[in-house]
Amino acid sequence: MKTENTPVIDAHNHSSCCGAPAPAAAAPVPLGAGGQLFRIATMDCSAEESDIRRALEPITGIRSLGFQLGARTLRIEASEGAYPLALEAIRKAGFDPKPATSTNASQNGDHAGHDHSHDHAHDHSEGHGFSSGVTRLVAALVLAVGAEAVSFFAPDVMAWKLAGMAIAAVAIALAGLDTYKKGMAALLRGKLNINALMSVAVTGAFLIGQWPEAAMVMALYAIAELIEARAVDRARNAIKGLLDMAPDEALMRGADGVWSATPVAAVPLEAVVRIRPGERVPLDGEVTLGHSAVNQAPITGESIPVDKEPGDAVFAGTINETGEIEVRVTAAADNTTLARIIHAVEQAQGSRAPTQRFVDRFAAVYTPAVFAIAVAVAVLMPLLAGLTWQESLYKALVLLVIACPCALVISTPVTVVSGLSAAARRGILIKGGTYLEEARLLKAVALDKTGTITEGKPQLVDWRAWGGADAATAAQLAGAMASRSDHPVSKAIAAGLNVETADVQAFKALPGRGVEGAIAGKRLVLGNHRLIHELGLCGVELEAELARHEQQGRTVTLLADDAHVLALFAVADTIKETSRQAIADLKALGVTPVMLTGDNAATAQAIAAQAGIADARGDLLPEAKLAAIQAMQQRYGATGMTGDGINDAPALAQADIGFAMGGAGADTAMEAADVVIMNDNLERVAETVRLSKRTHAILWQNISLALGIKSVFLVMAVFGTATMWMAVFADMGASLLVVGNGFRLLRKQQK
């Protein structure tokens, strides 16, 4: 998994990125030696992470910090004496860390552990839900309206003024107490974040006699924050809501043969569970009894049911549609494919795309720059424009409200998370915002043949003994050798021959060539044309026979001893139905497809011609594929690699973006690549590029919206008649606009 933990420049401390507090836990979760996990309800933005990192920097004894912004958790690994100091430093920074238990930490990616409740951004005390927060803000708004009414209608006498100020003060306390706490903490540390700006602006407005407006601004700000917090949580939890669908219980067969409903967390490996038609699969497993069609859309994005029979794999969260099946459990509840997808997406949400990192840096300059302009307005306007000190100070306070970089900073993570979620719903697991955004830059994609362009399920289509060898003996020897190998071609030979096999000694793989071993003391090899050529066993007649098969796109494997070729076996793999369209889609996007395969050149050319690929290269060992990727990067620029995530690991690592095919249930594929195609559909590569282009476009639309609106109101504040009300609407209106625009990625995908 590739993630980023680069400290972020402190641009703001935007509470709208926050959600509900977690329930108080009895004890922290140990995560390795000395590791403890804490839930921080007000931390799910990069700025909060930056604040906490800076607060913990002076403390010795801290070995590592692990932030999970989506889950609002922080893992601290430190010496025992450092924990109290760390927690105190976090509290002084304006946060309230609570020990997290395994049930609310959701660190293992188990969907059952996620807390889907979300309170508003300012209600951080334990025991207060979303509804109580709404009630408090409604009360604050009513009081703010009351303060306005007193100011407008009441007689201009001290008693009414004091009453109005008291009402305004109560409204500010109800709406902005948390803002003041965090704002003061930020100011004491010399930081200019949104809470500090709002605290200074509202306090200043109150002190210069604009108390009704100060109360109304704080109430409107808090309500807008509440709306925005809910919208941001919706984006962050889009993938969780989609995938949080595996049942809590499974019908498990006990040791006594009795079936009983059992919590999925208590179902052990190798247990057998029964799944009736219409029920969801509770855990990953292998069908042992029954036949059915299973809807695998939650995992692969494909809604067409897949037929399942004994020996086939099923995944947690998928839907059993037609027949009753019994399944042997192969993965615990916290390690199902579904759980690992959730965990991978959470990790991806914690990484920042290039545009997001640019925005963080820009906002860090933007906020103090506008603050400096506000100070200049307060000091210079009376001298240069003839305004009163009170008028210039009011303009400066309006500028402070406008200076909030909320819309700018929030524009990128919401869009990126929406893009990641939209991809996951289509069976595309993208491991970070960087790959989501940079896929649009791909100019070429290298494609493995077997399992990527072709079905990856070759069949033995022809074989014959060679050089006078006995056919029955050759079949038995070849079947014994092939049955020991996991290579798809070897499996096809073993299945096609279906003979009783002999015992193989000293068996070992010859990477990129075949296998070797000894049967009854006789050394044998079962390998490709390259291996036989290297052994010097190729003759003119054999070369002609090999050429005949290879011209038909067949892969030929030969059985040989130290002196002679004993038999040859022709295996054919068929092209996937989706491959031709996938190649056409890549070309339409301006991406050049290139086939890289270990099969012989003739086979590569035959399959490439069927798929519509002009450049096909065969006879490539893993290191040759790596060199080919490097050459493509020099020729084309940004290059992707699509393979199985195992044999193609060096090439996947070298490529700018690695796509692993057939990731459903394959740990190695999920670890090796930057993007995992969960359903083996090559069309998803072009779809990833298209999604990347849309995401990048929306990112820059959002940045333009945020900066454009800010610029208009900055000019109005300095030279026109912008009020604090208008400033709040400009700030929060822009924030809501960019959030809604980011959601278009999800809505378009759903349509």
Side-chain angles (χ1 to χ4, degrees):
M1 184 65 60
K2 299 179 183 179
T3 58
E4 294 172 351
N5 273 314
T6 307
V8 183
I9 296 172
D10 180 28
H12 76 318
N13 195 355
H14 192 199
S15 55
S16 71
C17 297
C18 306
V29 177
L31 295 176
Q36 293 184 5
L37 186 69
F38 299 92
R39 171 89 179 211
I40 304 176
T42 58
M43 177 199 74
D44 69 349
C45 282
S46 57
E48 279 90 359
E49 177 186 334
S50 180
D51 280 349
I52 293 171
R53 284 187 181 278
R54 289 194 174 99
L56 296 177
E57 276 178 3
I59 299 175
T60 57
I62 295 180
R63 291 187 288 270
S64 68
L65 300 174
F67 289 86
Q68 270 283 6
L69 298 181
R72 299 182 179 89
T73 58
L74 167 62
R75 175 177 53 82
I76 302 176
E77 290 191 12
S79 59
E80 197 61 34
Y83 285 108
L85 298 175
L87 295 179
E88 183 61 26
I90 293 172
R91 292 188 183 103
K92 285 183 179 179
F95 301 91
D96 186 20
K98 298 290 184 183
T101 65
S102 57
T103 56
N104 66 14
S106 68
Q107 283 297 296
N108 57 13
D110 182 8
H111 65 282
H114 290 293
D115 177 8
H116 292 295
S117 62
H118 297 281
D119 293 16
H120 73 85
H122 297 292
D123 185 10
H124 301 315
S125 58
E126 300 292 346
H128 287 274
F130 179 73
S131 59
S132 64
V134 171
T135 302
R136 182 163 59 83
L137 291 184
V138 170
L141 182 60
V142 170
L143 289 173
V145 172
E148 288 283 0
V150 169
S151 174
F152 190 77
F153 295 109
D156 189 15
V157 296
M158 183 57 65
W160 279 108
K161 285 185 177 181
L162 291 175
M165 292 176 68
I167 294 171
V170 173
I172 292 171
L174 283 174
L177 188 59
D178 187 70
T179 297
Y180 270 103
K181 286 181 181 178
K182 296 180 76 172
M184 290 301 106
L187 288 172
L188 289 174
R189 299 194 313 274
K191 299 184 184 304
L192 292 175
N193 57 35
I194 174 55
N195 296 305
L197 296 178
M198 286 299 299
S199 298
V200 171
V202 173
T203 303
F206 196 92
L207 293 177
I208 65 173
Q210 299 290 337
W211 38 267
E213 196 161 348
M216 186 62 76
V217 163
M218 186 59 84
L220 290 174
Y221 171 75
I223 291 172
E225 287 279 272
L226 165 63
I227 297 170
E228 187 181 318
R230 298 290 285 182
V232 173
D233 279 332
R234 177 188 164 198
R236 290 194 180 280
N237 290 289
I239 185 62
K240 296 177 189 175
L242 173 72
L243 296 178
D244 188 15
M245 52 180 54
D248 296 326
E249 291 185 333
L251 188 61
M252 183 182 76
R253 185 175 65 199
D256 55 1
V258 177
W259 297 89
S260 60
T262 306
V264 292
V267 176
L269 294 177
E270 302 300 321
V272 176
V273 298
R274 177 180 287 168
I275 307 161
R276 301 185 181 95
E279 293 181 342
R280 292 187 181 273
V281 177
L283 295 155
D284 285 7
E286 180 181 298
V287 177
T288 59
L289 182 65
H291 296 74
S292 185
V294 175
N295 182 347
Q296 298 190 152
I299 298 296
T300 67
E302 296 287 357
S303 58
I304 299 175
V306 178
D307 291 332
K308 299 290 183 179
E309 59 184 21
D312 290 340
V314 293
F315 307 107
T318 57
I319 306 163
N320 181 29
E321 296 201 338
T322 55
E324 183 175 274
I325 54 176
E326 293 182 10
V327 172
R328 178 178 59 83
V329 175
T330 58
D334 60 358
N335 195 39
T336 63
T337 300
L338 184 66
R340 286 185 282 112
I341 290 172
I342 295 172
H343 183 65
V345 174
E346 284 180 341
Q347 294 279 7
Q349 290 177 4
S351 67
R352 292 185 298 280
T355 302
Q356 192 171 348
R357 294 195 294 270
F358 161 76
V359 167
D360 288 336
R361 292 193 298 269
F362 178 83
V365 176
Y366 162 85
T367 303
V370 177
F371 189 85
I373 294 173
V375 172
V377 167
V379 174
L380 298 178
M381 280 297 208
L383 304 176
L384 301 178
L387 298 180
T388 65
W389 287 102
Q390 183 169 335
E391 289 172 337
S392 62
L393 185 57
Y394 180 79
K395 283 184 177 292
L397 295 175
V398 172
L399 280 171
L400 289 185
V401 177
I402 296 174
C404 167
C406 303
L408 181 61
V409 175
I410 207 172
S411 64
T412 47
V414 169
T415 304
V416 169
V417 170
S418 295
L420 292 171
S421 300
R425 290 180 175 186
R426 296 286 291 159
I428 306 168
L429 183 57
I430 303 175
K431 293 188 178 179
T434 296
Y435 312 117
L436 172 64
E437 190 174 348
E438 292 187 348
R440 67 187 174 84
L441 302 175
L442 290 178
K443 300 299 181 185
V445 172
L447 306 164
D448 184 36
K449 179 182 75 69
T450 305
T452 300
I453 296 174
T454 64
E455 291 289 352
K457 298 176 182 178
Q459 294 182 336
L460 181 64
V461 295
D462 190 15
W463 77 275
R464 58 177 293 191
W466 191 261
D470 179 68
T473 302
Q476 187 178 31
L477 295 175
M481 296 284 287
S483 65
R484 292 290 301 275
S485 173
D486 289 332
H487 194 282
V489 172
S490 293
K491 288 183 176 181
I493 294 172
L497 292 174
N498 193 24
V499 295
E500 184 177 345
T501 61
D503 185 40
V504 181
Q505 303 294 326
F507 180 86
K508 70 175 183 178
L510 304 173
R513 292 169 173 81
V515 296
E516 71 173 352
I519 299 177
K522 182 178 183 180
R523 179 181 177 272
L524 298 167
V525 295
L526 184 68
N528 58 18
H529 188 178
R530 172 196 291 269
L531 175 61
I532 301 303
H533 184 78
E534 289 176 353
L535 295 174
L537 301 179
C538 281
V540 175
E541 186 180 355
L542 179 61
E543 289 283 5
E545 181 69 6
L546 292 174
R548 182 178 70 83
H549 286 291
E550 290 169 357
Q551 286 171 1
Q552 299 177 57
R554 296 172 176 176
T555 298
V556 182
T557 302
L558 302 103
L559 176 71
D561 58 20
D562 289 331
H564 307 92
V565 172
L566 305 177
L568 58 86
F569 305 87
V571 170
D573 188 9
T574 57
I575 189 171
K576 293 179 183 177
E577 293 182 4
T578 57
S579 292
R580 295 181 183 86
Q581 185 59 50
I583 300 303
D585 290 345
L586 286 171
K587 290 179 178 178
L589 290 168
V591 179
T592 302
V594 177
M595 180 192 290
L596 305 179
T597 178
D599 276 346
N600 62 79
T603 300
Q605 291 294 341
I607 296 296
Q610 295 178 49
I613 299 174
D615 187 353
R617 309 173 193 180
D619 295 312
L620 298 180
L621 296 175
E623 55 268 27
K625 286 187 178 182
L626 172 62
I629 293 292
Q630 294 171 331
M632 289 174 63
Q633 289 171 323
Q634 291 290 327
R635 178 180 176 183
Y636 297 105
T639 298
M641 171 66 194
T642 306
D644 60 14
I646 303 171
N647 297 331
D648 299 312
L652 285 168
Q654 174 63 35
D656 295 277
I657 298 181
F659 296 84
M661 301 295 291
D667 293 326
T668 47
M670 295 183 78
E671 293 297 327
D674 307 313
V675 179
V676 181
I677 309 299
M678 302 298 290
N679 62 357
D680 257 355
N681 188 340
L682 191 59
E683 290 176 304
R684 295 292 191 258
V685 176
E687 192 169 335
T688 302
V689 176
R690 287 194 294 268
L691 178 63
S692 175
K693 291 177 181 289
R694 291 201 304 271
T695 301
H696 184 74
I698 289 178
L699 280 171
W700 284 100
Q701 288 171 16
N702 282 347
I703 292 171
S704 301
L705 268 174
L707 290 179
I709 293 172
K710 293 285 185 185
S711 299
V712 170
F713 279 87
L714 281 171
V715 173
M716 289 177 62
V718 176
F719 301 106
T721 57
T723 65
M724 291 187 73
W725 284 40
M726 295 170 64
V728 170
F729 281 122
D731 174 59
M732 301 315 301
S735 295
L736 296 176
L737 275 176
V738 298
V739 167
N741 195 38
F743 279 149
R744 289 199 299 124
L745 288 170
L746 283 174
R747 288 195 294 269
K748 184 166 184 179
Q749 185 274 330
Q750 288 169 343
K751 291 176 184 178

